[in-house]
Amino acid sequence: MKNKDFKPFIPADREMPECTTTSIVLGIILAVVFGAANAYLGLRVGMTVSASIPAAVISMGVIRVILRKNSILESNMVQTVGSAGESLAAGAIFTLPALFLWASEGKIEMPGIGEITLISLCGGILGILFMVPLRNALIVKEHKKLPYPEGTACAEVLLAGEKGGSSAKTVFSGMGIAALCKFLVDGLKVIPGSISAKFHFLKTELSAEVYPALIGVGYICGPKISSYMLAGGILGWFVLIPAIQLFGAETILYPGDDTIGSLYAAGGASKIWGLYIRYIGAGAVAAGGILSLIKSLPLILSTFRDSIKSLSGKQQLSQERTARELNMKFIFVGILLMIIAIWLLPSIPVTLSGAVMVILFGFFFATVSSRMVGLVGSSNNPVSGMAIATLLFCTLILKAFGDSGFHGMQGAISIGSIICIIACMAGDTSQDLKTGYILGATPRKQQIGELVGTVCAALAIGGVLYLLNAAWGFGSTELSAPQATLMKMLVEGVMNGNLPWNLIFIGIFIAIVIEILRIPVLPVAIGLYLPLELSTCIMIGGLVRLLVEKRTAGSEQDKKKSISNGILFSSGMIAGEGLVGILLAVLAVLSVNERIQLSEWLNTGTAGGIVLMLFLVLALFRSAKCKTSTDTHT
């Protein structure tokens, strides 16, 4: 059914290059690059960033400036394929590392690359196939009702074709600077990765990591969200840790095996955080995810009802280029094949009842995610709450049917992983199709592009996870995998009842207090759950964003351009650090990493860390400020 009042940028009767070799190859490269970078970022801090706009500006820079081609639909195809990698990585890293954590404890066999790839592939393809029938209902019929903020912003970036070259340079400069800094810190090890100051009278410490990706995350999130995360960190490290030691120095408290005072003497404040604060933070994060889901429940139910109602109505078939979609027979056959694969493939530990749960939860959350992205954008889509609710419900069902122990835990994580990836991919597909609708792209070609990007990203994500785990290990200081650790703890708690529930419930009631105060729960809870050094560095990035907003003179358009420049530079920093992180993981697996370290001959110490931090702050600030006047006159 057409929206007669809307005219796309490229009319339906005009044919333009779209699904070309150039766009597919460049899109695949970006899907793998941003997928790997987002996997690395998510495993470090439990957060991922959208790759749609960075992929769009890179595609415009390459296609328009380097290749001298004038094809906006070709550039749109690049970002469609490229953004699939970031979304699939986000769904995978929130859950799948739990399997590696159990394997490191000797409780299950180490998951193979094939298992990770198949789980990611099934979830990714199902997310796209579940969303395709909803396109007409959500994007065409509700064009004026659902704003799709990020999809619309991506279309605006692509429409500003003549500015694509300078924007792409901003992204690449951020990548280069971040790659160099990451290599100096973690490769050559001539600059420390963190700086800290101890507060002996409180028996705690204040620390900050010196990494470009975290500063970039803080800038993209903005000062408000960054301050919420820092507040959670301060609550944990400057309230709870001192209180635990003040009132319980001579107490043995589970899961600790010695007095709290002895534990502090042996491992410092970090030991207390790892044994106690992490569980309090886990309770807060779980409660925050469920609270966000509960608050969204009326919208979720109405969304599902309206989508199904629109889907069941009679649809007018159109042969116009801008209305051609994948054949419904292909959709149904594809869904059936994926469900059979989930049930029968031995590398995916899911029973028939588990496959049925994938169908029910998967289609429900795909529908919800597709519409929620249209309302609030993918950044505010409560995927973590959906994953937590799914894991709790599936674990209870599997345990009730006798599928307990670590086989049942594997099944619950596998089901949760597939559904989490389904929700992420359905939201990404919905957002990309909205961008294409505004520009006048061919839906069927975009849907094929999504499938191509998903397949390539799934083939890469298994190797990336395996590589990162082999180099540092999930749950380590380098890769804390906070979301996956939380999922693992929840599944174990339901199956075995061995969680320190007193600490978990302290976190739950902290989340309730935060909700009563009308403060966003999840960023505070994540700050409480993560090491303080991460939240501190993220806050520095948020302060740079605040400084840019306050110090930019000129019109409102100039201010928006400055902020946009900083976001592009920050996206480049995140990608650059992620790529060097993957490179260093390869070197670690090959046992080459120690040969390039220069720490024995040159170690700049805390002064070097402070200088590097100031350099990154200055580089980010200048990237945001320096192009405003130039771009205003283009």
Side-chain angles (χ1 to χ4, degrees), residues 499-512:
L499 278 177
W501 286 105
N502 51 350
L503 298 175
I504 295 289
F505 274 100
I506 289 174
I508 290 172
F509 283 106
I510 286 175
I512 292 173

Side-chain angles (χ1 to χ4, degrees), residues 258-467:
D258 202 346
T259 64
I260 292 173
S262 299
L263 292 171
Y264 174 78
S270 296
K271 185 73 171 179
I272 305 301
W273 173 84
L275 285 172
Y276 305 113
I277 306 303
R278 191 164 64 106
Y279 288 97
I280 296 174
V285 172
I290 293 174
L291 283 171
S292 68
L293 195 63
I294 291 173
K295 288 192 295 183
S296 303
L297 202 57
L299 178 61
I300 286 173
L301 294 176
S302 64
T303 290
F304 188 76
R305 183 191 65 239
D306 294 344
S307 299
I308 297 300
K309 188 184 298 183
S310 299
L311 189 62
S312 61
K314 293 183 180 180
Q315 298 181 7
Q316 298 176 2
L317 298 178
S318 173
Q319 296 301 315
E320 284 190 344
R321 180 186 59 79
T322 53
R324 297 172 192 159
E325 300 192 73
L326 288 174
N327 189 281
M328 287 305 298
K329 292 182 180 178
F330 175 83
I331 300 296
F332 288 127
V333 170
I335 292 173
L336 181 61
L337 290 176
M338 289 298 103
I339 296 302
I340 292 173
I342 292 170
W343 173 31
L344 296 180
L345 284 176
S347 56
I348 302 179
V350 174
T351 60
L352 178 59
S353 60
V356 172
M357 281 190 279
V358 167
I359 297 174
L360 298 177
F361 282 103
F363 182 67
F364 176 75
F365 283 130
T367 305
V368 169
S369 181
S370 298
R371 190 180 184 96
M372 291 284 284
V373 165
L375 290 167
V376 298
S378 60
S379 300
N380 299 310
N381 196 7
V383 173
S384 60
M386 299 178 198
I388 291 170
T390 300
L391 272 178
L392 291 175
F393 192 75
C394 291
T395 306
L396 287 170
I397 291 178
L398 292 174
K399 186 177 181 181
F401 279 89
D403 191 4
S404 58
F406 283 99
H407 183 272
M409 294 182 193
Q410 279 184 276
I413 286 293
S414 298
I415 294 169
S417 299
I418 293 172
I419 292 171
C420 189
I421 294 170
I422 285 173
C424 288
M425 288 306 304
D428 176 73
T429 302
S430 182
Q431 178 175 280
D432 290 341
L433 289 176
K434 179 64 174 185
T435 302
Y437 180 70
I438 295 171
L439 298 177
T442 308
R444 181 169 60 194
K445 292 180 179 179
Q446 274 196 286
Q447 291 154 6
I448 292 172
E450 290 280 357
L451 290 170
V452 170
T454 298
V455 170
C456 294
L459 293 173
I461 196 67
V464 169
L465 292 182
Y466 217 85
L467 179 65

Side-chain angles (χ1 to χ4, degrees), residues 141-220:
K141 293 179 66 176
E142 299 201 43
H143 173 62
K144 294 183 177 180
K145 297 179 182 178
L146 295 177
Y148 280 93
E150 293 173 15
T152 302
C154 192
E156 291 175 354
V157 169
L158 288 167
L159 287 170
E162 67 276 8
K163 300 179 182 178
S166 61
S167 299
K169 289 177 184 177
T170 304
V171 176
F172 283 121
S173 62
M175 290 177 68
I177 289 174
L180 175 62
C181 294
K182 175 70 173 177
F183 193 73
L184 289 172
V185 173
D186 286 345
L188 301 181
K189 291 190 178 295
V190 296
I191 298 175
S194 64
I195 51 180
S196 63
K198 294 186 181 298
F199 292 79
H200 295 289
F201 70 101
L202 287 174
K203 295 187 182 298
T204 189
E205 62 184 51
L206 176 65
S207 56
E209 288 202 350
V210 188
Y211 287 101
L214 298 178
I215 295 176
V217 168
Y219 186 93
I220 292 172

Side-chain angles (χ1 to χ4, degrees), residues 465-500:
L465 292 182
Y466 217 85
L467 179 65
L468 293 173
N469 183 65
W472 294 300
F474 299 138
S476 64
T477 304
E478 292 83 1
L479 294 173
S480 59
Q483 297 282 6
T485 304
L486 170 62
M487 304 300 177
K488 170 180 175 287
M489 290 165 54
L490 290 175
V491 172
E492 287 178 342
V494 173
M495 283 290 187
N496 302 328
N498 61 353
L499 278 177

Side-chain angles (χ1 to χ4, degrees), residues 47-290:
M47 298 175 64
T48 58
V49 295
S50 175
S52 294
I53 292 178
V57 298
I58 290 173
S59 67
M60 292 297 293
V62 172
I63 291 176
R64 285 190 62 94
V65 178
I66 298 177
L67 299 180
R68 303 292 182 182
K69 297 173 70 176
N70 184 14
S71 176
I72 192 171
L73 298 187
E74 206 171 354
S75 298
N76 178 59
M77 181 59 66
V78 174
Q79 79 83 20
T80 298
V81 178
S83 64
E86 164 261 324
S87 298
L88 186 136
I93 57 96
F94 284 167
T95 48
L96 286 175
L99 300 176
F100 290 88
L101 292 169
W102 280 323
S104 66
E105 297 170 0
K107 295 172 180 176
I108 64 172
E109 292 184 3
M110 182 67 70
I113 294 179
E115 178 180 345
I116 302 301
T117 300
L118 287 172
I119 290 175
S120 303
L121 191 63
C122 290
I125 291 176
L126 281 174
I128 297 169
L129 296 182
F130 280 149
M131 192 277 146
V132 168
L134 302 173
R135 175 188 169 272
N136 191 61
L138 298 181
I139 294 174
V140 179
K141 293 179 66 176
E142 299 201 43
H143 173 62
K144 294 183 177 180
K145 297 179 182 178
L146 295 177
Y148 280 93
E150 293 173 15
T152 302
C154 192
E156 291 175 354
V157 169
L158 288 167
L159 287 170
E162 67 276 8
K163 300 179 182 178
S166 61
S167 299
K169 289 177 184 177
T170 304
V171 176
F172 283 121
S173 62
M175 290 177 68
I177 289 174
L180 175 62
C181 294
K182 175 70 173 177
F183 193 73
L184 289 172
V185 173
D186 286 345
L188 301 181
K189 291 190 178 295
V190 296
I191 298 175
S194 64
I195 51 180
S196 63
K198 294 186 181 298
F199 292 79
H200 295 289
F201 70 101
L202 287 174
K203 295 187 182 298
T204 189
E205 62 184 51
L206 176 65
S207 56
E209 288 202 350
V210 188
Y211 287 101
L214 298 178
I215 295 176
V217 168
Y219 186 93
I220 292 172
C221 291
K224 183 173 288 188
I225 298 298
S226 299
S227 66
Y228 292 149
M229 291 187 66
L230 182 63
I234 292 174
L235 175 62
W237 287 76
F238 284 86
V239 177
L240 296 178
I241 288 180
I244 287 172
Q245 296 184 92
L246 177 64
F247 298 115
E250 303 302 321
T251 303
I252 299 176
L253 178 64
Y254 179 80
D257 56 2
D258 202 346
T259 64
I260 292 173
S262 299
L263 292 171
Y264 174 78
S270 296
K271 185 73 171 179
I272 305 301
W273 173 84
L275 285 172
Y276 305 113
I277 306 303
R278 191 164 64 106
Y279 288 97
I280 296 174
V285 172
I290 293 174

